[in-house]
């Protein structure tokens, strides 16, 4: 049966818009550390979208290889094109060439729709907020609910005019930007809800005529900031962290056009790596290594705490399951890899002790209120799950046997992909609105089914 998330499968039921997760009856004992399950995942969304913007800021053509083509990246690419940047796109080869204009936006007026892409929403807003022009910005209903106010306030402090329609909420999409360059050489931004506000300002900071200083308020895992700074440096611009809350970009630096290879998406890889303890099989994701730019590689260290063994081989990191069947519950701060909080929560009921996840208060403000979503869906399965009423940024999940149910995804791709893992050990788990995976990994369930076929055998 054909449907809107990219392939044919009898596990999708169009009448209810649900995907029935296949639960393997038996796992092949032939798999060992010498013969792991090998999976390939698409390119990184975070790196793809950063590279697209950095390529526009460079002077001349940059060729991006290994590009992720998904809802988010297509929205970002379309915005780049509608701003007048010349592009050459080859989806089959996963290559995009962007001709950068050295910090100048070709079109001085444009209407842009960023969809649900948080990177496009925040990064383009910062760039256009200091550009000379008038830009009409809009987004999906989901993105219209996500916070933008801290970034918009920083832009207003620099002299950007932000206009809202009469029925629009201040600090949210939609709005109109009238940029007037850098009215200040030092600003403050609150990153309590999203580190993307800081990444967005850092990327565009080198366009200032004088040294530019950003002071940070609030707290947030800084892994994505590290990625941003490393990629800026790869394209030729260095920013310094002169204090824990202060970043300075020296004037006179320029991004350089280049050929750029995009890493596999570690966030996507983690769903398959989680199968190592869950299904007691060795798993290797091609070309994923510990020197990755992506903070979610820290999730593999959590799997190690649960009893797995990690080996960084030339072909990719190998995760070996615990020596004995079963795995340990853990208490972990996931601020550095919060996109994997759902992944850990989905497998936690099968651990031999409770799992406590801390440092994730900000995930309430992502594609969904992810803490609420995790707790609601686990309780629906009959799993005891408690929120910390004091910190509001941690949850504890207790071991149990999940009951069959339909998992609501809240139009959140990570809820769909993460809770599919629970269904690999619990017959009768279905995922509602599986098409939301198009945001980052449109053929996720196809890849998952292929992986299951490799490890399953008839009972």
């Amino acid at each position: 049966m054909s449907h809107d998330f990219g392939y044919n499968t009898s596990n999708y039921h169009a009448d209810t818009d649900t995907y029935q997760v296949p639960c393997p009856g038996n796992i092949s004992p032939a798999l060992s550390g010498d013969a792991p399950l090998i999976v390939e995942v698409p390119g990184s969304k975070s790196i793809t979208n950063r590279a697209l913007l950095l390529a526009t800021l460079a002077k001349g053509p940059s060729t991006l290889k290994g590009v992720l083509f998904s809802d988010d990246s297509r929205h970002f690419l379309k915005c780049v094109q509608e701003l007048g940047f010349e592009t050459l796109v080859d989806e089959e080869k996963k290559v995009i060439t962007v001709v950068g204009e050295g910090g100048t936006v070709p079109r001085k007026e444009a209407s842009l729709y960023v969809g649900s892409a948080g990177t496009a929403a925040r990064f383009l807003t910062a760039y256009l907020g200091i550009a000379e022009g008038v830009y009409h910005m809009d987004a999906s209903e989901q993105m219209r609910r996500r916070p933008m106010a801290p970034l918009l306030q920083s832009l207003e402090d620099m002299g950007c005019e932000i206009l809202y329609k009469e029925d629009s909420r201040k600090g949210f999409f939609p709005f109109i930007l009238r940029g007037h360059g850098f009215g200040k050489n030092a600003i403050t931004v609150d990153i309590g809800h999203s580190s993307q506000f800081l990444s967005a300002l850092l990327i565009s900071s080198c366009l200032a005529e004088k040294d530019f200083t950003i002071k940070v308020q609030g707290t947030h895992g800084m892994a994505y900031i590290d990625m941003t700074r490393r990629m800026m440096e790869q394209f030729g611009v260095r920013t310094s962290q002169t204090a824990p809350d202060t970043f300075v970009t020296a004037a006179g630096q320029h991004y350089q056009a280049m050929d750029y290879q995009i890493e596999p998406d570690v966030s996507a890889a983690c769903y398959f790596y989680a199968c190592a303890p869950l299904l007691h099989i060795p798993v290797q994701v091609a070309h994923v290594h510990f020197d990755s730019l992506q903070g979610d590689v820290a999730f593999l260290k959590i799997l190690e705490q649960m009893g797995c063994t990690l080996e960084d081989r030339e072909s990719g990191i190998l995760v070996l399951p615990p020596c004995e069947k079963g795995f340990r519950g853990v208490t972990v701060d996931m601020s550095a890899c919060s996109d994997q909080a759902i992944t850990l929560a989905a497998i936690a009921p099968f651990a031999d002790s409770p799992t406590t996840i801390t440092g994730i208060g900000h995930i309430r403000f992502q594609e969904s209120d992810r803490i609420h979503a995790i707790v609601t869906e686990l309780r629906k399965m009959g799993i005891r799950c408690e929120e910390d009423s004091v910190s509001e940024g941690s949850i504890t999940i207790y071991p149990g046997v999940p009951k069959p149910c339909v998992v609501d995804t809240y139009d959140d791709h990570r809820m769909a992909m993460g809770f599919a893992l629970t269904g690999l050990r619990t017959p009768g788990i279905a995922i509602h609105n599986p098409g939301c995976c198009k945001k980052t990994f449109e053929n996720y369930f196809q890849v998952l089914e292929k992986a299951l076929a490799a490890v399953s055998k008839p009972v």
Side-chain angles (χ1 to χ4, degrees), residues 167-178:
D167 57 347
S168 296
R169 290 192 296 164
K170 186 175 181 180
F172 295 87
F173 279 96
F175 47 80
I176 299 171
L177 300 170
R178 294 181 184 270

Side-chain angles (χ1 to χ4, degrees), residues 191-194 219-221 296 299 302 331-346 355-375 378 385-388 391-397 415:
I191 62 169
H193 287 169
S194 177
T219 58
H220 200 288
D296 275 7
F299 179 72
I302 296 173
T331 296
V332 288
D333 180 341
M334 295 193 73
S335 57
C337 55
S338 60
D339 277 347
Q340 297 310 315
I342 292 170
T343 312
L344 182 57
T355 290
T356 298
I357 306 171
T358 68
I360 56 171
H362 61 279
I363 73 173
R364 292 188 184 277
F365 306 98
Q366 295 181 309
E367 283 83 343
S368 66
D369 177 344
R370 287 179 172 169
I371 292 179
H372 169 77
I374 289 168
V375 171
L378 284 174
C385 184
E386 298 175 352
E387 296 181 58
D388 186 322
S391 74
E392 296 187 350
S394 68
I395 54 176
T396 298
I397 301 152
M415 285 295 294

